[in-house]
Amino acid sequence: MKSDTISAIATPRGEGGIGIVRISGSHALSVADAVFRARSQKALAEAASHCAVYGCVVERDGTPVDEGLALVMRAPHSYTCEDVVELQCHGGQSVMRRVLARTWEAGARAAERGEFTKRAFLNGRIDLAQAEAVMAVVEARSDRALKMAQGHLAGHFSDRIRAMRHQILSMVAHIEAAIDFPENEVDDVLDVDLTRDITRLAEEIRGILSTANAGRILRDGLLTAIVGRPNVGKSSLLNALLREERAIVTDIPGTTRDAIEEYADVGGVPLRIIDTAGIRATEDTVERIGVERARDYAARAALVLALFDRSRPLGEEDEAILSLLKKKQAILLLTKADLPPKTTREDLLARVKAMGVVSASGSMPQVIEIAAQAKGGVDRIGFDVLTDAVCRIAYQDAAEGDEADFVADARQADALRRAEEHLRAAILTMEQEMGLDFVSIDLRSAVEALGELTGETVGDAILDEIFSKFCIGK
Ligand code: GDP
């Protein structure tokens, strides 16, 4: 069946050097020919695939909308595996809207969110894990996050899942042969081998699952609060982490800047920092971070960076900050390490101990001395150690090192967890000698769960949910 033809603006909203309207479907070429006049007067339907044609997008009566290029990519060698034409024009909002409207007048319909990528999946060019990686590539906020997304897009993760699925299917084939031909009496050998192989696979899945937390952090960012009393150096640290010196939106009086979040790339781990605007508003006493606000940030955060001024003695406000850290994952930072010390690491740790502040993992928090401001030829101090500490926290559960193999999201983790459960059930069934046909049922359920990752066994509702998270035009 031929699919209908869809179109959408593929470039971001707003002004840009170039804007692209993408058309895909069996009538992509005729739609494009109805709106585009090549300078050469030749129809796009006759243009070679993967060649750019110079010309003009025109109104129905021939008046020009904008000049530009048409890029023809014929099925199946295109993003969607269908005929695709991309119209590249000037990237203005009015131009783009008019070009898009012209494609609709010529018979295309508006693409839904993620519909181009969904077609690439439905047409078999990429599997579901790869399709999900498309958005992860677009949204990657650090180089490690990008590495994970690219690894998934290239199919490394899917290959591994498919290999496991294949192994289980061949076990099922063996078992079913043994059930059908019991006279072969292979049962004993089969039992030993099967239990060993299923256990190995369950362990492999557990190893992959151990990366789920790190994968989620790479994808969504590690929700981080920077807390400490006024003047301790919060905004200086934030600026250093964001590697930019100018504070944001200081010239708009009276605006609420509460909801601003920023991502800092720390050693490839994206830190999603809560309320950066509040942290930065240090000149404004009303907006100065009070303990109440710090309490709220610390409660929400997965990681708390708690700051203490090394150039001053510890005070009551510092104790109030310390009290927020009970049962939290925190790194203690002694700031202004370039100045003569009044508070040492030992002083701080003694106070931590006296107050009974233990981290979520039950251990003493790490203390790092830093200087966020490089002044008078002095470099920043302590940022390498801080980077290592952040990476260790982000990767703490991950048994495997390569981001390309990390579990990228909750849906994948859930399917893997179910696959592991079915394999463990199969082992139990073997041990209790409940019969091979029951083992086969457990194994088939594991195959089914693994198939959800790559999309072999997944329903329309889940597909719709996945692609609804995409942007229009992707
Ligand atoms: P906040 O109120 O916690 O956001 O603190 P700020 O980042 O605004 O810093 C307060 C003051 O401490 C400013 O005058 C900074 O210049 C100074 N400061 C911050 N970090 C350092 C540092 O590493 N070394 C030195 N010497 N001064 C710093």
Side-chain angles (χ1 to χ4, degrees):
M1 191 189 77
K2 289 199 167 178
S3 63
D4 54 352
T5 296
I6 54 173
S7 64
I9 300 169
T11 37
R13 299 280 169 274
E15 292 169 13
I18 296 174
I20 298 175
V21 168
R22 174 148 66 179
I23 313 164
S24 178
S26 43
H27 299 299
L29 284 159
S30 60
V31 168
D33 266 326
V35 308
F36 187 84
R37 294 278 167 279
R39 183 64 156 300
S40 65
Q41 304 294 330
K42 262 186 33 198
L44 292 174
E46 276 140 45
S49 187
H50 294 79
C51 281
V53 178
Y54 175 68
C56 201
V57 174
V58 291
E59 296 289 0
R60 212 185 293 257
D61 63 5
T63 40
V65 174
D66 192 19
E67 63 172 354
L69 295 175
L71 186 57
V72 175
M73 288 160 282
R74 289 175 195 280
H77 303 293
S78 73
Y79 187 76
T80 54
C81 287
E82 303 170 335
D83 281 346
V84 169
V85 180
E86 288 182 6
L87 298 173
Q88 306 191 357
C89 294
H90 293 102
Q93 300 230 48
S94 307
V95 175
M96 282 290 101
R97 258 189 251 133
R98 194 60 214 133
V99 173
L100 182 63
R102 285 293 295 130
T103 64
W104 295 344
E105 287 164 15
R109 71 157 168 83
E112 291 163 15
R113 288 179 176 277
E115 196 170 0
F116 293 96
T117 310
K118 189 177 187 177
R119 288 184 175 201
F121 164 68
L122 292 174
N123 291 326
R125 188 177 67 78
I126 53 175
D127 65 39
L128 196 55
Q130 290 174 300
E132 288 181 296
V134 168
M135 266 332 270
V137 167
V138 174
E139 291 171 349
R141 292 186 181 93
S142 76
D143 53 1
R144 287 188 197 236
L146 182 59
K147 194 172 165 214
M148 175 171 82
Q150 292 288 14
H152 279 237
L153 186 58
H156 295 314
F157 183 77
S158 307
D159 285 349
R160 205 162 159 199
I161 300 299
R162 249 192 294 271
M164 291 196 291
R165 197 164 176 262
H166 191 77
Q167 285 174 50
I168 305 174
L169 274 173
S170 75
M171 289 179 201
V172 171
H174 265 92
I175 291 174
E176 287 176 1
I179 294 169
D180 290 345
F181 306 101
E183 64 277 11
N184 288 355
E185 290 183 7
V186 288
D187 273 15
D188 283 352
V189 186
L190 190 73
D191 275 9
V192 176
D193 287 356
L194 256 185
T195 311
R196 187 199 57 209
D197 291 348
I198 301 172
T199 308
R200 191 178 40 72
L201 277 171
E203 289 306 314
E204 185 174 348
I205 293 180
R206 177 158 293 189
I208 300 176
L209 268 170
S210 74
T211 65
N213 196 40
R216 189 176 50 76
I217 289 171
L218 289 185
R219 189 164 167 150
D220 298 338
L222 182 60
L223 198 62
T224 303
I226 298 179
V227 298
R229 59 170 180 67
N231 268 330
V232 70
K234 293 182 295 296
S235 45
S236 304
L237 171 68
L238 181 67
N239 285 340
L241 292 178
L242 298 173
R243 293 190 195 90
E244 46 156 303
E245 297 305 326
R246 248 167 0 109
I248 39 168
V249 290
T250 48
D251 54 343
I252 309 166
T255 46
T256 311
R257 286 162 280 167
D258 269 5
I260 297 178
E261 273 180 353
E262 279 174 282
Y263 287 85
D265 179 347
V266 177
V269 177
L271 296 189
R272 194 171 133 214
I273 300 175
I274 303 173
D275 192 11
T276 54
I279 295 167
R280 282 169 144 157
T282 48
E283 301 310 315
D284 180 347
T285 42
V286 181
E287 288 231 50
R288 259 188 181 171
I289 181 161
V291 172
E292 275 315 308
R293 238 165 134 178
R295 191 188 312 279
D296 177 43
Y297 295 166
R300 279 162 56 203
L303 170 66
V304 183
L305 300 179
L307 275 53
F308 304 90
D309 194 334
R310 181 173 167 276
S311 69
R312 292 175 45 157
L314 288 172
E316 269 178 31
E317 286 171 303
D318 294 314
E319 291 203 343
I321 294 293
L322 278 175
S323 72
L324 307 178
L325 307 181
K326 289 181 182 165
K327 298 247 156 54
K328 294 297 295 188
Q329 186 154 250
I331 301 174
L332 309 188
L333 299 176
L334 276 171
T335 61
K336 309 184 192 178
D338 53 319
L339 300 179
K342 292 261 171 58
T343 297
T344 63
R345 176 191 295 270
E346 288 69 34
D347 296 335
L348 184 59
L349 280 173
R351 198 68 65 99
V352 166
K353 235 183 219 154
M355 293 182 59
V357 179
V358 285
S359 71
S361 60
S363 58
M364 289 283 275
Q366 184 174 359
V367 179
I368 303 169
E369 301 186 339
I370 60 158
Q373 291 186 339
K375 263 191 197 157
V378 183
D379 283 340
R380 286 181 178 139
I381 300 169
F383 278 72
D384 289 352
V385 187
L386 175 58
T387 302
D388 284 350
V390 166
C391 291
R392 221 168 323 129
I393 284 172
Y395 281 54
Q396 61 191 337
D397 308 313
E400 321 217 345
D402 194 339
E403 286 85 358
D405 285 337
F406 279 16
V407 180
D409 65 28
R411 188 191 75 85
Q412 295 178 348
D414 175 60
L416 280 167
R417 231 169 261 127
R418 279 183 284 116
E420 192 198 346
E421 273 166 26
H422 292 305
L423 292 181
R424 303 265 175 217
I427 296 166
L428 207 65
T429 311
M430 298 279 302
E431 283 168 2
Q432 294 174 343
E433 294 182 8
M434 285 164 70
L436 280 178
D437 31 7
F438 288 107
V439 179
S440 165
I441 291 171
D442 290 331
L443 292 181
R444 280 194 180 279
S445 303
V447 168
E448 182 102 354
L450 289 178
E452 288 176 28
L453 292 162
T454 40
E456 278 97 346
T457 54
V458 75
D460 283 348
I462 292 178
L463 286 185
D464 288 346
E465 195 194 316
I466 289 171
F467 288 104
S468 69
K469 292 184 194 135
F470 278 56
C471 39
I472 290 174
K474 199 71 202 117

